[in-house]
Amino acid sequence: MSSDGGAGRMADDTTSFVLQPPRPRTDPQPHPQPVAHPQAGPQAQAQAQPHPEPRPHPHPQPVPVPQQAPAGTPADPGAGRLVAGRYRLLGKLGHGGMGTVWRAKDEVVDREVAVKEPRVPDHLPEREQANAFERMRREARAAARLDHPAVVNVHDVAVVDGRPWIVMELVHGRTLGSVLQDGTLGAREAARIGLEVLGALEAAHAAGVLHRDVKPENILLGRYDRVVLTDFGIAQIEGDTRLTDTGGFVGSPEFIAPERVLGQRPGPASDLWSLGVVLYTATEGVSPFRRSNTPATLQSVLNAVPAPPASASGPLAEVINGLLHKDPAHRPTADRVRALLTEAARPPAPPAPTAPSSSPAGTRSRRRGRTVWLGAGAAVAAAAVTAWLVLADPFTGSARSGWAKKPESGLGATLTVPAGYQVVRPDKDDSDRNWVTYYDWSGGIWLRLHLARKADDSLDRIKSSARAQMYDDNEKFKSQGDYDLHMNEATKTVPDAEATYHGRQAAQNTVTYPGDDEGKRPRELRIFYYRTTSGDMYELAVGYPARGDFTTRGREVAKKAIADLEITKP
């Protein structure tokens, strides 16, 4: 399968990566080493790093990739070489048709950099070799003309034996394409990334540069929320005619605008089309124009109308639908796109501290595409706790002794929750309506029941058993946490594979992790898993503080809710 959007090796190879459900890490690395995408564009410098901040959006995380040989081994015969008298090659990050990207040390200023070594087959005619080298010079010129934080910085071009070695900043992160292998993005996170890419494109267009290859593999998600657009190797620079496309097809077919397929002169709207395809892919989990081979993909770009976005709604859906208009004259301007993405990325207003919001904010889970409500955030919750304690003692009266049965006919289950807990249900336009959340007035304790239906599981994300589902989640919690649960890497997990439900196999897990508040106060999450005989997967999760007075109460709520869960058709 071709992973670069070009033609595959066989007739039926896909022309793009195919999104896969999250997979357990079979060999998590405690200290991730640099890894690279197989392509040798600037994105090949991607390095796996632990996420630095507990933000509810993707951060660079290690993923299973082909292992690179350690620097200095026989597999890296060039390691240790000094290029241009200052760049010491340390180890390969990746390679492809245009070159090899090295992690290197600039010995003059004592910093690590990424160095792209030009590599072309020796059998190529001299003219084609010269074109390849000129393309690399053009990549450096295009990026060097831009002054924007979302564009990779080019430090130097060292010419060695007539060949240009491009010296760039070393960006620690993962490509968006790699992140999408774990699942789709929520609307707010997709909009945030889209805004950064849009900024890079606006800077490029203002400098007379068209990128012409905007796709997930060329978008790096770095540390500290940085988004970087990379690989200007096929960029078109206004006024630069020294290198032309002599019948060759450049770019990734499913991300190329229709006017480029037709051979018309592209403009900034062509790059914006590609951004629209990226946003559709990131939120919907499928590429709208991908087909089994390149000709079919190009035909779909010209003629196919993708299904309206299901996961994206409101301003983000308007952006996607507008950018995918076949006629570039009818696509929204960059200013309009920025305004809509800003609105889509804006966090919801927090509820008042003295009472729950009538329509609490939601976050979309990338793991199974479901919508869940996880509380108003630590600061608001703390304020609510203070206000609530003035009004009532949480350990006396009905809040402790009173329990209520809550039939959830749409989920085929009945929950037992403390009397007085508030309820949140899906909105009518939510793509996943198979959940319900109850929470206490403080916001400190919540419980949520989610049902993954086998009939809707086209991507086979439901595991073969409750135990398998629990262990799959457990690996994720330990290696990278869960952004949709506001969870950093778990400091402790206690899997229970012996749990049962009415004599049938079930599973539980108790997870302790640092909270996402300023003080990183520890949280505890207890999750119960049960797979029905028809293949549906129930998950009942209860979250509460891991320390303090509310810990005992939270554990009591979890124990009672799990023990009394009633499933209509187990």
Side-chain angles (χ1 to χ4, degrees):
M1 180 180 73
S2 172
S3 63
D4 62 359
R9 294 181 176 85
M10 304 298 290
D12 292 331
D13 279 353
T14 59
T15 61
S16 172
F17 64 86
V18 179
L19 298 185
Q20 300 290 335
R23 292 167 291 185
R25 289 175 50 81
T26 56
D27 185 22
Q29 300 293 330
H31 300 288
Q33 296 299 314
V35 298
H37 191 273
Q39 297 180 0
Q43 76 273 21
Q45 43 179 298
Q47 283 188 285
Q49 293 288 335
H51 57 280
E53 298 181 13
R55 290 285 301 279
H57 52 69
H59 278 269
Q61 299 296 333
V63 292
V65 295
Q67 294 297 311
Q68 304 291 336
T73 68
D76 285 347
R81 177 182 176 184
L82 188 64
V83 176
R86 64 184 292 181
Y87 306 111
R88 181 76 63 183
L89 304 184
L90 302 178
K92 289 182 180 179
L93 295 177
H95 60 85
M98 285 295 294
T100 299
V101 177
W102 294 82
R103 181 170 63 91
K105 182 178 181 180
D106 184 343
E107 296 189 343
V108 174
V109 296
D110 192 24
R111 68 177 172 186
E112 286 198 348
V113 294
V115 176
K116 186 173 182 179
E117 173 190 7
R119 298 180 67 89
V120 296
D122 293 333
H123 66 269
L124 283 182
E126 182 177 346
R127 178 178 179 181
E128 292 188 26
Q129 291 190 30
N131 277 349
F133 296 149
E134 178 60 24
R135 175 175 166 179
M136 294 190 70
R137 293 188 185 95
R138 185 168 66 177
E139 174 186 343
R141 288 196 301 271
R145 291 175 65 166
L146 309 180
D147 181 15
H148 193 277
V151 176
V152 67
N153 290 321
V154 174
H155 299 315
D156 190 11
V157 177
V159 179
V160 179
D161 296 329
R163 300 188 174 198
W165 293 60
I166 301 178
V167 183
M168 303 165 286
E169 66 171 317
L170 184 63
V171 180
H172 300 267
R174 291 174 67 188
T175 67
L176 176 59
S178 172
V179 170
L180 292 181
Q181 296 296 324
D182 296 339
T184 56
L185 301 183
R188 284 174 52 199
E189 175 63 6
R192 184 189 74 86
I193 293 172
L195 274 171
E196 296 298 321
V197 175
L198 176 65
L201 291 176
E202 288 180 307
H205 297 161
V209 176
L210 298 181
H211 188 281
R212 302 202 299 172
D213 199 20
V214 179
K215 60 183 180 181
E217 286 77 10
N218 286 341
I219 299 171
L220 276 176
L221 305 182
R223 298 184 296 186
Y224 314 114
D225 301 336
R226 190 181 177 199
V227 178
V228 181
L229 180 61
T230 69
D231 202 347
F232 283 79
I234 65 171
Q236 184 178 68
I237 305 176
E238 185 176 3
D240 189 344
T241 59
R242 286 176 290 175
L243 181 62
T244 60
D245 299 323
T246 57
F249 194 83
V250 293
S252 305
E254 66 192 284
F255 295 96
I256 289 178
E259 59 271 20
R260 287 194 56 210
V261 176
L262 294 172
Q264 299 172 359
R265 184 177 180 84
S270 301
D271 280 344
L272 295 183
W273 161 282
S274 302
L275 175 58
V277 180
V278 169
L279 292 173
Y280 188 107
T281 303
T283 56
E284 303 305 304
V286 294
S287 179
F289 304 110
R290 174 180 52 81
R291 300 297 184 266
S292 62
N293 53 65
T294 297
T297 296
L298 296 178
Q299 282 295 325
S300 70
V301 168
L302 291 175
N303 302 311
V305 177
S311 298
S313 60
L316 183 58
E318 184 177 343
V319 167
I320 293 173
N321 292 330
L323 292 181
L324 296 188
H325 201 289
K326 305 293 185 185
D327 184 352
H330 288 85
R331 293 173 202 152
T333 64
D335 287 342
R336 177 59 178 165
V337 172
R338 175 169 294 281
L340 291 171
L341 288 179
T342 300
E343 179 65 25
R346 182 175 294 120
T354 56
S357 170
S358 59
S359 56
T363 57
R364 191 168 306 282
S365 168
R366 293 178 289 109
R367 182 159 54 90
R368 291 193 181 86
R370 64 179 178 259
T371 303
V372 296
W373 183 84
L374 300 173
V380 173
V385 169
T386 302
W388 187 58
L389 289 177
V390 173
L391 302 176
D393 182 350
F395 302 107
T396 61
S398 61
R400 178 174 178 86
S401 61
W403 295 82
K405 294 282 188 179
K406 300 292 184 180
E408 299 293 338
S409 58
L411 301 178
T414 298
L415 283 169
T416 299
V417 303
Y421 268 35
Q422 305 301 298
V423 64
V424 179
R425 303 186 190 280
D427 292 331
K428 62 180 180 180
D429 59 346
D430 281 346
S431 59
D432 182 358
R433 299 175 58 84
N434 298 309
W435 60 272
V436 65
T437 294
Y438 288 88
Y439 64 99
D440 76 333
W441 282 73
S442 74
I445 303 174
W446 56 263
L447 59 89
R448 181 204 65 228
L449 179 67
H450 179 264
L451 171 61
R453 301 182 188 274
K454 183 64 176 178
D456 299 333
D457 188 34
S458 60
L459 296 178
D460 295 325
R461 292 178 176 178
I462 299 177
K463 303 303 178 184
S464 59
S465 67
R467 293 174 183 173
Q469 196 77 60
M470 180 270 291
Y471 280 121
D472 183 58
D473 286 352
N474 188 63
E475 288 300 313
K476 175 183 176 182
F477 295 156
K478 292 192 299 182
S479 64
Q480 66 184 65
D482 189 310
Y483 290 99
D484 300 303
L485 295 175
H486 300 262
M487 180 193 297
N488 289 316
E489 293 180 17
T491 55
K492 180 181 180 182
T493 64
V494 185
D496 179 7
E498 304 302 320
T500 60
Y501 178 78
H502 294 182
R504 298 189 180 95
Q505 183 191 113
Q508 290 192 51
N509 199 357
T510 303
V511 184
T512 306
Y513 60 95
D516 67 342
D517 60 317
E518 184 176 353
K520 291 183 169 45
R521 286 173 290 206
R523 297 280 299 177
E524 192 167 283
L525 182 71
R526 186 168 298 181
I527 312 177
F528 174 80
Y529 301 82
Y530 178 72
R531 191 177 192 268
T532 68
T533 55
S534 61
D536 295 341
M537 184 68 71
Y538 281 90
E539 290 184 19
L540 176 57
V542 184
Y544 46 88
R547 296 178 185 172
D549 292 340
F550 277 81
T551 304
T552 300
R553 176 58 172 166
R555 290 172 178 170
E556 178 186 352
V557 171
K559 181 178 179 181
K560 178 73 171 175
I562 293 172
D564 290 0
L565 175 64
E566 299 175 14
I567 298 175
T568 305
K569 296 180 180 180

Short mmCIF file of all heavy atoms in Angstrom, two decimals, residues 367-399:
data_model
loop_
_atom_site.label_atom_id
_atom_site.label_comp_id
_atom_site.label_asym_id
_atom_site.label_seq_id
_atom_site.Cartn_x
_atom_site.Cartn_y
_atom_site.Cartn_z
N ARG A 367 -11.07 7.82 20.50
CA ARG A 367 -10.87 6.38 20.59
C ARG A 367 -12.02 5.61 19.97
O ARG A 367 -11.84 4.61 19.32
CB ARG A 367 -10.72 5.99 22.07
CG ARG A 367 -10.46 4.51 22.28
CD ARG A 367 -9.83 4.30 23.63
NE ARG A 367 -10.62 4.89 24.68
CZ ARG A 367 -11.56 4.24 25.32
NH1 ARG A 367 -11.85 3.01 25.00
NH2 ARG A 367 -12.24 4.81 26.29
N ARG A 368 -13.26 6.08 20.17
CA ARG A 368 -14.37 5.38 19.55
C ARG A 368 -15.36 6.33 18.92
O ARG A 368 -16.47 5.98 18.62
CB ARG A 368 -15.10 4.50 20.58
CG ARG A 368 -14.24 3.34 21.01
CD ARG A 368 -15.08 2.31 21.76
NE ARG A 368 -14.21 1.23 22.16
CZ ARG A 368 -13.51 1.25 23.28
NH1 ARG A 368 -13.60 2.26 24.09
NH2 ARG A 368 -12.72 0.24 23.60
N GLY A 369 -14.96 7.58 18.74
CA GLY A 369 -15.82 8.53 18.08
C GLY A 369 -17.04 8.92 18.90
O GLY A 369 -18.00 9.46 18.40
N ARG A 370 -17.05 8.63 20.20
CA ARG A 370 -18.22 8.93 20.98
C ARG A 370 -18.11 10.30 21.63
O ARG A 370 -17.03 10.85 21.75
CB ARG A 370 -18.43 7.87 22.06
CG ARG A 370 -17.30 7.81 23.10
CD ARG A 370 -17.62 6.75 24.13
NE ARG A 370 -16.57 6.62 25.12
CZ ARG A 370 -15.66 5.67 25.11
NH1 ARG A 370 -15.64 4.80 24.15
NH2 ARG A 370 -14.74 5.59 26.06
N THR A 371 -19.21 10.85 22.05
CA THR A 371 -19.23 12.14 22.73
C THR A 371 -19.44 11.88 24.21
O THR A 371 -20.31 11.14 24.61
CB THR A 371 -20.37 13.00 22.19
OG1 THR A 371 -20.20 13.13 20.78
CG2 THR A 371 -20.36 14.36 22.84
N VAL A 372 -18.61 12.50 25.03
CA VAL A 372 -18.71 12.29 26.47
C VAL A 372 -18.61 13.63 27.16
O VAL A 372 -18.01 14.57 26.65
CB VAL A 372 -17.58 11.36 26.98
CG1 VAL A 372 -17.72 9.98 26.38
CG2 VAL A 372 -16.22 11.93 26.69
N TRP A 373 -19.22 13.71 28.34
CA TRP A 373 -19.09 14.92 29.14
C TRP A 373 -18.31 14.56 30.38
O TRP A 373 -18.62 13.62 31.08
CB TRP A 373 -20.46 15.45 29.52
CG TRP A 373 -20.35 16.74 30.28
CD1 TRP A 373 -20.22 17.97 29.78
CD2 TRP A 373 -20.34 16.88 31.70
NE1 TRP A 373 -20.12 18.89 30.78
CE2 TRP A 373 -20.20 18.26 31.97
CE3 TRP A 373 -20.43 15.99 32.77
CZ2 TRP A 373 -20.16 18.75 33.25
CZ3 TRP A 373 -20.38 16.48 34.05
CH2 TRP A 373 -20.26 17.86 34.29
N LEU A 374 -17.24 15.34 30.66
CA LEU A 374 -16.33 14.96 31.72
C LEU A 374 -16.18 16.03 32.78
O LEU A 374 -15.16 16.15 33.43
CB LEU A 374 -14.95 14.63 31.13
CG LEU A 374 -14.98 13.48 30.11
CD1 LEU A 374 -13.62 13.35 29.47
CD2 LEU A 374 -15.39 12.20 30.80
N GLY A 375 -17.17 16.86 32.94
CA GLY A 375 -17.09 17.86 34.00
C GLY A 375 -16.69 19.22 33.47
O GLY A 375 -16.32 19.38 32.32
N ALA A 376 -16.76 20.19 34.29
CA ALA A 376 -16.55 21.57 33.86
C ALA A 376 -15.11 22.02 33.95
O ALA A 376 -14.80 23.15 33.67
CB ALA A 376 -17.41 22.49 34.71
N GLY A 377 -14.20 21.14 34.38
CA GLY A 377 -12.80 21.53 34.52
C GLY A 377 -12.47 21.75 35.99
O GLY A 377 -13.32 22.05 36.81
N ALA A 378 -11.19 21.59 36.31
CA ALA A 378 -10.79 21.59 37.72
C ALA A 378 -11.08 22.90 38.43
O ALA A 378 -11.56 22.92 39.56
CB ALA A 378 -9.30 21.26 37.82
N ALA A 379 -10.81 24.02 37.76
CA ALA A 379 -11.00 25.31 38.43
C ALA A 379 -12.46 25.56 38.75
O ALA A 379 -12.82 25.95 39.86
CB ALA A 379 -10.45 26.43 37.55
N VAL A 380 -13.33 25.32 37.76
CA VAL A 380 -14.75 25.53 37.99
C VAL A 380 -15.27 24.53 39.02
O VAL A 380 -16.08 24.87 39.88
CB VAL A 380 -15.52 25.40 36.66
CG1 VAL A 380 -17.01 25.45 36.90
CG2 VAL A 380 -15.10 26.51 35.71
N ALA A 381 -14.78 23.28 38.91
CA ALA A 381 -15.23 22.28 39.86
C ALA A 381 -14.86 22.66 41.29
O ALA A 381 -15.64 22.50 42.22
CB ALA A 381 -14.63 20.91 39.51
N ALA A 382 -13.63 23.19 41.46
CA ALA A 382 -13.21 23.57 42.80
C ALA A 382 -14.10 24.68 43.35
O ALA A 382 -14.48 24.67 44.53
CB ALA A 382 -11.76 24.03 42.76
N ALA A 383 -14.42 25.65 42.50
CA ALA A 383 -15.30 26.72 42.94
C ALA A 383 -16.68 26.18 43.29
O ALA A 383 -17.30 26.60 44.27
CB ALA A 383 -15.41 27.79 41.84
N ALA A 384 -17.14 25.21 42.48
CA ALA A 384 -18.45 24.64 42.75
C ALA A 384 -18.46 23.86 44.05
O ALA A 384 -19.44 23.88 44.80
CB ALA A 384 -18.86 23.72 41.59
N VAL A 385 -17.35 23.15 44.31
CA VAL A 385 -17.27 22.40 45.57
C VAL A 385 -17.40 23.35 46.75
O VAL A 385 -18.14 23.10 47.71
CB VAL A 385 -15.94 21.62 45.64
CG1 VAL A 385 -15.74 21.07 47.04
CG2 VAL A 385 -15.95 20.49 44.62
N THR A 386 -16.67 24.47 46.68
CA THR A 386 -16.71 25.43 47.78
C THR A 386 -18.12 25.96 48.00
O THR A 386 -18.62 26.02 49.14
CB THR A 386 -15.76 26.60 47.48
OG1 THR A 386 -14.44 26.08 47.29
CG2 THR A 386 -15.75 27.59 48.62
N ALA A 387 -18.77 26.34 46.90
CA ALA A 387 -20.13 26.88 47.02
C ALA A 387 -21.09 25.83 47.56
O ALA A 387 -21.96 26.11 48.37
CB ALA A 387 -20.60 27.39 45.66
N TRP A 388 -20.91 24.57 47.08
CA TRP A 388 -21.84 23.53 47.48
C TRP A 388 -21.69 23.15 48.95
O TRP A 388 -22.65 22.89 49.65
CB TRP A 388 -21.60 22.30 46.58
CG TRP A 388 -22.60 21.20 46.76
CD1 TRP A 388 -23.94 21.26 46.61
CD2 TRP A 388 -22.31 19.85 47.13
NE1 TRP A 388 -24.52 20.05 46.84
CE2 TRP A 388 -23.53 19.16 47.17
CE3 TRP A 388 -21.12 19.16 47.44
CZ2 TRP A 388 -23.61 17.82 47.50
CZ3 TRP A 388 -21.21 17.82 47.75
CH2 TRP A 388 -22.45 17.16 47.79
N LEU A 389 -20.43 23.14 49.43
CA LEU A 389 -20.21 22.76 50.81
C LEU A 389 -20.86 23.76 51.78
O LEU A 389 -21.18 23.41 52.91
CB LEU A 389 -18.71 22.66 51.10
CG LEU A 389 -18.01 21.46 50.44
CD1 LEU A 389 -16.52 21.51 50.74
CD2 LEU A 389 -18.60 20.15 50.92
N VAL A 390 -21.04 25.00 51.33
CA VAL A 390 -21.71 25.98 52.17
C VAL A 390 -23.18 25.60 52.36
O VAL A 390 -23.77 25.84 53.41
CB VAL A 390 -21.60 27.38 51.54
CG1 VAL A 390 -22.44 28.39 52.32
CG2 VAL A 390 -20.14 27.81 51.51
N LEU A 391 -23.73 24.96 51.32
CA LEU A 391 -25.16 24.66 51.35
C LEU A 391 -25.48 23.30 51.94
O LEU A 391 -26.57 23.09 52.46
CB LEU A 391 -25.71 24.72 49.91
CG LEU A 391 -25.51 26.05 49.19
CD1 LEU A 391 -26.01 25.92 47.76
CD2 LEU A 391 -26.27 27.15 49.91
N ALA A 392 -24.57 22.35 51.82
CA ALA A 392 -24.92 20.99 52.27
C ALA A 392 -23.68 20.23 52.66
O ALA A 392 -22.61 20.44 52.11
CB ALA A 392 -25.66 20.26 51.16
N ASP A 393 -23.83 19.31 53.58
CA ASP A 393 -22.78 18.38 53.96
C ASP A 393 -22.85 17.20 52.99
O ASP A 393 -23.85 16.49 52.96
CB ASP A 393 -23.01 17.90 55.40
CG ASP A 393 -21.91 16.95 55.85
OD1 ASP A 393 -21.10 16.52 55.00
OD2 ASP A 393 -21.89 16.63 57.05
N PRO A 394 -21.83 16.96 52.19
CA PRO A 394 -21.91 15.92 51.18
C PRO A 394 -21.95 14.51 51.76
O PRO A 394 -22.19 13.56 51.03
CB PRO A 394 -20.63 16.12 50.36
CG PRO A 394 -19.69 16.77 51.30
CD PRO A 394 -20.53 17.64 52.17
N PHE A 395 -21.70 14.37 53.04
CA PHE A 395 -21.67 13.03 53.62
C PHE A 395 -22.86 12.76 54.52
O PHE A 395 -22.85 11.84 55.33
CB PHE A 395 -20.36 12.82 54.40
CG PHE A 395 -19.17 13.02 53.52
CD1 PHE A 395 -18.37 14.14 53.64
CD2 PHE A 395 -18.87 12.10 52.53
CE1 PHE A 395 -17.29 14.32 52.82
CE2 PHE A 395 -17.79 12.27 51.70
CZ PHE A 395 -16.99 13.39 51.84
N THR A 396 -23.90 13.57 54.40
CA THR A 396 -25.11 13.31 55.17
C THR A 396 -26.30 13.46 54.26
O THR A 396 -26.23 14.02 53.17
CB THR A 396 -25.25 14.32 56.32
OG1 THR A 396 -25.33 15.65 55.80
CG2 THR A 396 -24.07 14.24 57.28
N GLY A 397 -27.44 12.96 54.70
CA GLY A 397 -28.68 13.14 53.96
C GLY A 397 -28.72 12.29 52.71
O GLY A 397 -27.99 11.33 52.53
N SER A 398 -29.61 12.68 51.78
CA SER A 398 -29.89 11.87 50.61
C SER A 398 -28.69 11.75 49.68
O SER A 398 -28.59 10.80 48.93
CB SER A 398 -31.07 12.45 49.84
OG SER A 398 -30.76 13.76 49.40
N ALA A 399 -27.79 12.73 49.70
CA ALA A 399 -26.63 12.66 48.81
C ALA A 399 -25.78 11.46 49.12
O ALA A 399 -25.05 10.98 48.27
CB ALA A 399 -25.80 13.93 48.94
#
